[in-house]
Amino acid sequence: MKIIIVGLGDAGSTLVKHLAEEKYDVTVIDSNKVLVDRITDNYNVNGVVGSGASKDTLMKAGADTADAIIALTHIDEINLLSCMQAKSLGTRRAAARILMPDFVGEAERLKTEYSIDYFVKPKLDIAEEIYRNIGLSGFIKLEGFFGNEVQMIDLSVNENSPLAGRKLMEVKHDITDDITICSVMRDDKLYVPDGSFEIQVNDSLGVVTDKAKITETLEKLGIEQHCCKNIVIVGGGITTEYLLAMLKNDRKKITVYDNNIDRCRNLMEKYPYVDVSYAEGDVTEVLEEESLEKTDVLISLADSDVTNLVVSMFGWAQDIKSVITRVDKTSHVKLLHKVNMDITVSPTELSVLKMLRFVRNYEIGDEQENGVGKFYKIAYGLAEVMEFTATDGFARLNVEFKENSFKLKKDVIVAAIIRDSKLIIPTGTTQILKGDTVIVATSKKNHIRNLNEILV
């Protein structure tokens, strides 16, 4: 599959890394020669220096024969035009990132006007992710990738966790049978656990559960959602605006700090129910002068990763129970995960995950039976969770999991089944029926692309 990537910022470069590792035929385009040279030196990909909105540049990149173009520059108009130009030259599919609210609100019209098949909207998506995790401590994060029935949870096991020292079969019997633990990261090594696997302190777990039972499940896992009457947000950009709109009817006391006076004025006009403070100079110095004793949630959405990291450490030192931080660079995300200091949200990670899903769906083909639907990387990208729809073509329809003929590949778990809009956590007597949505967790080494490929 031949893919053109336009834009080599954090998201574009990270996507190139994933696609190159999976041996896709990739050509990158960027107007910065240094970035193009760096990528082509480090990965087995081709590079073209120029604007992705230029037909000449796109032709040099092979747009007339490309299967897909993915535009990830920081300028929405260039992303839209790149996709439109590539499609006019013969590229089969196009995906673009859009950042500005005006474009996000017109996404459906833009799909038609610019002949674009798929959009990612990271600022809106990040706001939704933050809203979902307000009040939670840093050792847990609720992911929102799998729709209305399935809740993905990233959970770090601490000394007080009821999971510590338990085998998975004991967790099912003694704590809750409403979850599937589908991945464990321990000392940077991935485990896809079976029933005899014993959970240890500091393990990082990927958990699937029923979204309708999430409050009950968190309680059984010993996880408290802290009071969140007082929320402090650092940074007044677009993501903050989306988040403030979501919080409008929640009756919270919200304070926003920003060091841009024009943004402060804009927020005051749009959101009169919010206290907006101009933080002249270093925002962390302003926070030190303010009393945060009554702050329940600290959310850092500044433009700089460095500022957000410092704000996180400040919140941690102040013993604020729920700290949520936006970071772009993958190395910074891993750093905060290591110390479990707060919940991290990354526009880069989210954009990359959604573009990988776009590539997988195109690779399989919408018309192919049992092909992958929703797709998510967990355990620092070493494992994958994906969604399939079972059709007549699945080789083990109506066979109980405990039967010898129903044998899964190594490092593959059927984490959940959705049937008639209800989630089923599988047991030995569970069967996959025609029409079921099947959630599968697997090591990325298995390269699962079709539901039949989970079988030995």
Side-chain angles (χ1 to χ4, degrees), residues 3-20 26-43 45-52 70-75 78-79 82 97 329 348 352:
I3 303 169
I4 297 172
I5 297 176
V6 180
L8 292 177
D10 291 325
S13 299
T14 304
L15 181 60
V16 170
K17 177 180 181 293
H18 283 291
L19 295 177
V26 177
T27 299
V28 300
I29 297 174
D30 198 284
S31 57
N32 188 325
K33 185 177 185 302
V34 174
L35 293 178
V36 174
D37 289 344
R38 184 184 302 160
I39 287 292
T40 54
D41 287 345
N42 289 332
Y43 304 104
V45 301
N46 300 310
V48 177
V49 178
S51 169
I70 298 173
L72 291 168
T73 77
H74 291 287
I75 302 174
I78 290 179
N79 293 337
S82 296
R97 178 173 65 182
K329 291 189 178 297
T348 296
V352 170

Side-chain angles (χ1 to χ4, degrees), residues 123-172:
K123 293 184 182 293
L124 174 60
D125 292 337
I126 287 298
E128 291 174 345
E129 189 166 344
I130 291 169
Y131 185 76
R132 186 167 50 248
N133 283 279
I134 285 176
L136 292 174
S137 298
F139 62 85
I140 180 171
K141 180 180 176 185
L142 305 183
E143 307 286 358
F145 206 76
F146 275 93
N148 296 324
E149 295 89 5
V150 180
Q151 180 66 66
M152 286 289 303
I153 304 174
D154 290 337
L155 174 63
S156 295
V157 180
N158 58 32
E159 293 179 353
N160 299 320
S161 172
L163 301 176
R166 300 264 195 161
K167 294 181 178 180
L168 262 62
M169 63 181 71
E170 296 172 344
V171 172
K172 290 275 190 183

Side-chain angles (χ1 to χ4, degrees), residues 344-413:
T344 56
V345 293
S346 171
T348 296
E349 280 193 339
L350 195 55
S351 294
V352 170
L353 282 170
K354 291 199 168 187
M355 287 306 185
L356 286 172
R357 175 186 167 192
F358 164 75
V359 170
R360 290 286 181 90
N361 283 342
Y362 179 72
E363 183 182 28
I364 293 295
D366 294 335
E367 74 285 352
Q368 184 170 334
E369 290 188 346
N370 304 303
V372 64
K374 294 178 181 176
F375 166 81
Y376 198 81
K377 282 187 175 289
I378 58 175
Y380 305 122
L382 296 177
E384 300 171 344
V385 181
M386 57 194 76
E387 175 186 284
F388 299 91
T389 299
T391 69
D392 286 327
F394 179 54
R396 296 295 182 271
L397 280 179
N398 308 318
V399 177
E400 292 186 348
F401 283 21
K402 66 183 179 181
E403 295 293 329
N404 290 333
S405 61
F406 195 101
K407 190 171 182 180
L408 299 174
K409 287 181 179 176
K410 182 181 178 182
D411 292 339
V412 172
I413 292 175

Side-chain angles (χ1 to χ4, degrees), residues 252-411:
K252 312 291 186 187
K253 183 181 184 301
I254 306 169
T255 304
V256 177
Y257 293 95
D258 196 278
N259 58 9
N260 183 309
I261 191 65
D262 292 328
R263 291 207 297 204
C264 288
R265 290 186 180 120
N266 174 58
L267 292 174
M268 289 177 187
E269 292 176 4
K270 287 186 175 180
Y271 309 98
Y273 53 90
V274 175
D275 293 331
V276 181
S277 295
Y278 173 54
E280 186 175 4
D282 187 345
V283 69
T284 56
E285 293 180 1
V286 175
L287 289 177
E288 287 179 356
E289 295 172 0
E290 300 291 330
S291 174
L292 297 184
E293 292 180 1
K294 296 183 179 180
T295 300
D296 302 309
V297 183
L298 177 63
I299 302 170
S300 192
L301 296 172
D303 297 327
S304 161
D305 271 15
V306 173
T307 300
N308 289 330
L309 290 168
V310 172
V311 170
S312 294
M313 289 187 285
F314 177 79
W316 193 37
Q318 296 291 315
D319 198 30
I320 296 173
K321 300 301 182 184
S322 181
V323 180
I324 303 175
T325 304
R326 192 222 72 178
V327 287
D328 275 328
K329 291 189 178 297
T330 305
S331 58
H332 292 162
V333 175
K334 289 183 177 180
L335 172 65
L336 290 178
H337 282 178
K338 289 287 185 183
V339 297
N340 294 328
M341 194 165 66
D342 60 3
I343 294 171
T344 56
V345 293
S346 171
T348 296
E349 280 193 339
L350 195 55
S351 294
V352 170
L353 282 170
K354 291 199 168 187
M355 287 306 185
L356 286 172
R357 175 186 167 192
F358 164 75
V359 170
R360 290 286 181 90
N361 283 342
Y362 179 72
E363 183 182 28
I364 293 295
D366 294 335
E367 74 285 352
Q368 184 170 334
E369 290 188 346
N370 304 303
V372 64
K374 294 178 181 176
F375 166 81
Y376 198 81
K377 282 187 175 289
I378 58 175
Y380 305 122
L382 296 177
E384 300 171 344
V385 181
M386 57 194 76
E387 175 186 284
F388 299 91
T389 299
T391 69
D392 286 327
F394 179 54
R396 296 295 182 271
L397 280 179
N398 308 318
V399 177
E400 292 186 348
F401 283 21
K402 66 183 179 181
E403 295 293 329
N404 290 333
S405 61
F406 195 101
K407 190 171 182 180
L408 299 174
K409 287 181 179 176
K410 182 181 178 182
D411 292 339

